[in-house]
């Protein structure tokens, strides 16, 4: 995989010719190239590119601008020999369809922060049927990154335990139940499902279904807890949707919802933790001849703009994944500076985007 992915605006291929004087066509730009153009010493240029505190911000800006124009990127092998660092952050990405645009949004947010640092981003794919420890071991044993970002945590996540044991910098998108504190950014899925279920109950719905993450993940517990809190306090009924979760195929969700909706005591309200599953849910309800807004209501998690243009309109609760990427990057950068763990934990709050009217 080409590791010159977005994440460091200086890590781009050199152009065939320089946009400013000071270099030769076809030759790779160096620190001396930038120094000649900027009228600065090589040492000053080097410190500016490393974000040295002794260098004025205007000088840093000028040096970075020139570096971008001439296509300069540091020799990572040389950097590693001198410093023992790779200047690489590895994002372990799970290519699942639960969330529309998850990977691109997280990458964008990470890149927005890392672009002003010496670090650049490398994406390491991990598939759902593979051992989640495989990419972690590869990165740590090969020394191919200075820090790692990953998601879909488990209550006793082996990745978190291993990385803490070897003191390797990381941040995870999601929490665990491990006794030792660790860096994370999470979304408040308890509040998401609590708000969503209460919204359905406010609209008069009494037989509710939750389409949640797989039970192995920590955010399954958070989402289920919030949902059940609302169900119990209102005295309404929870209806199970057997063998269906957010990792189920769209076809599987559609078929299961269609069959459930045909039953005599059918559900009249759904809380759905993902956009793709919500669209499959809507298709299944349509297959069963039910009208959303009349026979049944839905509250879904929204992470893209898709529901802004989707008909019929449904209520959604927003999770900002680009903002999540930025927060993950900032936490990991602080971890790389050995900041206290209690400053390396944060939780994003749900944003209500209700579009439909309540009864009466």
């Amino acid at each position: 995989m080409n590791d010159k992915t977005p994440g460091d605006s200086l890590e781009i291929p050199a152009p065939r010719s320089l946009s400013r004087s000071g270099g030769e066509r076809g030759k790779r730009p160096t620190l001396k190239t930038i120094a000649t153009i900027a009228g600065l010493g090589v040492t000053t240029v080097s410190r500016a590119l490393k974000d040295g505190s002794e260098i004025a911000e205007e000088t840093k800006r000028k040096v970075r601008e020139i570096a971008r124009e001439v296509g300069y990127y540091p020799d990572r092998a040389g950097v590693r020999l001198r410093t023992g660092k790779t200047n690489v952050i590895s994002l372990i990405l799970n290519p699942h369809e639960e969330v529309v645009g998850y990977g691109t949004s997280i990458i964008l947010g990470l890149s927005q922060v890392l672009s002003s640092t010496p670090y650049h981003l490398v994406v390491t794919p991990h598939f759902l049927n593979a051992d989640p420890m495989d990419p972690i071991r590869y990165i740590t044993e090969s020394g191919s990154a200075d820090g790692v970002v990953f998601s879909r945590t488990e209550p006793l996540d082996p990745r978190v335990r291993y990385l803490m044991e070897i003191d390797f910098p990381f941040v995870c998108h999601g929490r665990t139940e491990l006794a030792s504190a660790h860096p994370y950014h999470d979304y408040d899925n308890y509040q998401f499902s609590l708000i969503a279920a209460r919204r359905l109950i406010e609209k008069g719905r009494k037989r509710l279904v939750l389409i949640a993450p797989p039970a192995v993940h920590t955010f399954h517990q958070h989402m289920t807890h919030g949902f059940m809190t609302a169900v119990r306090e209102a005295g309404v009924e929870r209806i199970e949707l057997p063998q269906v979760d957010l990792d189920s195929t769209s076809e599987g969700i559609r078929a299961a919802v269609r069959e459930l909706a045909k039953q005599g005591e059918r559900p009249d309200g759904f809380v759905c933790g993902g956009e793709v599953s919500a669209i499959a849910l809507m298709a299944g309800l349509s297959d069963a001849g039910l009208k959303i807004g009349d026979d049944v209501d839905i509250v879904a998690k929204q992470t893209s703009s898709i529901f802004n243009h989707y008909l019929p309109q449904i209520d959604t609760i927003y999770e900002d994944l680009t903002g999540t990427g930025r927060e993950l990057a900032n936490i990991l950068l602080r971890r790389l500076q050995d900041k206290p763990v209690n400053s390396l934990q944060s939780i994003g709050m749900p944003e209500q985007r209700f579009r439909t009217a309540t009864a009466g």
Side-chain angles (χ1 to χ4, degrees):
M1 176 178 293
N2 183 353
D3 62 4
K4 296 181 181 63
T5 56
D8 186 339
S9 60
L10 306 184
E11 292 283 324
I12 57 177
R16 293 183 179 178
S17 61
L18 304 183
S19 58
R20 298 198 190 189
S21 61
E24 297 180 27
R25 292 178 180 270
K27 288 193 175 182
R28 176 175 173 172
T30 65
L31 292 176
K32 186 176 179 180
T33 306
I34 301 171
T36 300
I37 296 171
L40 299 169
V42 172
T43 300
T44 300
V45 168
S46 176
R47 290 174 178 170
L49 291 174
K50 294 175 183 176
D51 199 29
S53 58
E54 72 278 19
I55 305 299
E57 289 301 321
E58 177 59 25
T59 301
K60 293 178 188 177
R61 184 201 61 75
K62 178 181 178 181
V63 167
R64 288 169 180 159
E65 180 181 335
I66 294 170
R68 280 194 295 269
E69 287 189 14
V70 302
Y72 169 81
Y73 57 94
D75 182 344
R76 288 195 292 127
V79 170
R80 186 167 181 176
L81 283 173
R82 292 192 304 273
T83 67
K85 297 178 63 175
T86 64
N87 283 349
V88 170
I89 299 298
S90 182
L91 168 65
I92 299 175
L93 192 60
N94 308 89
H96 55 85
E97 66 169 20
E98 168 202 332
V99 180
V100 174
Y102 178 87
T104 53
S105 297
I106 292 290
I107 289 170
L108 175 59
L110 287 164
S111 300
Q112 288 174 343
V113 173
L114 296 180
S115 64
S116 61
T117 75
Y119 294 98
H120 72 282
L121 187 66
V122 172
V123 176
T124 303
H126 167 65
F127 296 93
L128 296 179
N129 58 352
D131 183 349
M133 284 299 299
D134 287 346
I136 295 291
R137 289 196 184 96
Y138 171 78
I139 291 164
T140 57
E141 293 174 6
S142 67
S144 56
D146 296 330
V148 63
V149 182
F150 58 92
S151 62
R152 295 171 69 86
T153 53
E154 301 176 7
L156 301 177
D157 200 294
R159 299 168 297 179
V160 173
R161 287 191 295 185
Y162 172 75
L163 291 167
M164 290 190 352
E165 286 172 2
I166 66 172
D167 195 27
F168 190 89
F170 75 93
V171 60
C172 49
H173 183 201
R175 286 167 279 176
T176 71
E177 294 180 358
L178 294 168
S180 300
H182 62 84
Y184 68 75
H185 175 72
D186 201 4
Y187 176 77
D188 196 334
N189 282 288
Y190 172 86
Q191 285 296 326
F192 158 76
S193 57
L194 179 69
I195 294 167
R198 283 176 174 171
R199 174 65 172 175
L200 293 172
I201 293 163
E202 178 186 349
K203 299 178 81 168
R205 302 309 181 181
K206 299 183 182 301
R207 295 172 58 80
L208 308 187
V209 173
L210 171 65
I211 301 180
V216 67
H217 298 304
T218 313
F219 72 130
H220 167 91
Q221 299 181 8
H222 299 159
M223 197 176 289
T224 303
H225 185 196
F227 179 81
M228 290 306 301
T229 297
V231 165
R232 288 167 180 155
E233 70 183 12
V236 298
E237 185 178 357
R238 177 187 182 178
I239 307 297
E240 297 284 348
L241 188 59
Q243 299 180 327
V244 167
D245 58 41
L246 293 179
D247 281 357
S248 300
T249 65
S250 299
E251 293 78 9
I253 294 172
R254 180 174 183 171
V257 169
R258 180 173 60 242
E259 293 308 309
L260 181 63
K262 291 178 180 178
Q263 296 180 8
E265 295 295 318
R266 61 172 176 79
D268 57 9
F270 288 82
V271 174
C272 191
E275 289 177 322
V276 172
S277 52
I279 293 170
L281 161 63
M282 295 167 76
L285 293 171
S286 178
D287 292 343
L290 300 181
K291 186 175 180 181
I292 296 168
D294 291 340
D295 304 309
V296 62
D297 279 301
I298 299 169
V299 182
K301 183 183 289 188
Q302 179 174 356
T303 54
S304 75
S305 64
I306 188 169
F307 285 123
N308 297 343
H309 315 287
Y310 208 95
L311 295 175
Q313 290 279 277
I314 63 171
D315 290 328
T316 63
I317 300 174
Y318 182 64
E319 178 179 3
D320 181 2
L321 291 178
T322 301
T324 292
R326 289 193 295 267
E327 182 67 5
L328 290 168
N330 282 317
I331 289 174
L332 185 53
L333 290 174
R334 294 199 296 272
R335 169 64 182 86
L336 288 162
Q337 297 169 353
D338 293 322
K339 300 297 183 182
V341 173
N342 61 7
S343 70
L344 307 178
Q345 299 173 335
S346 63
I347 298 177
M349 298 306 296
E351 178 186 327
Q352 298 178 22
R353 294 189 174 180
F354 295 159
R355 302 174 174 85
T356 62
T358 54

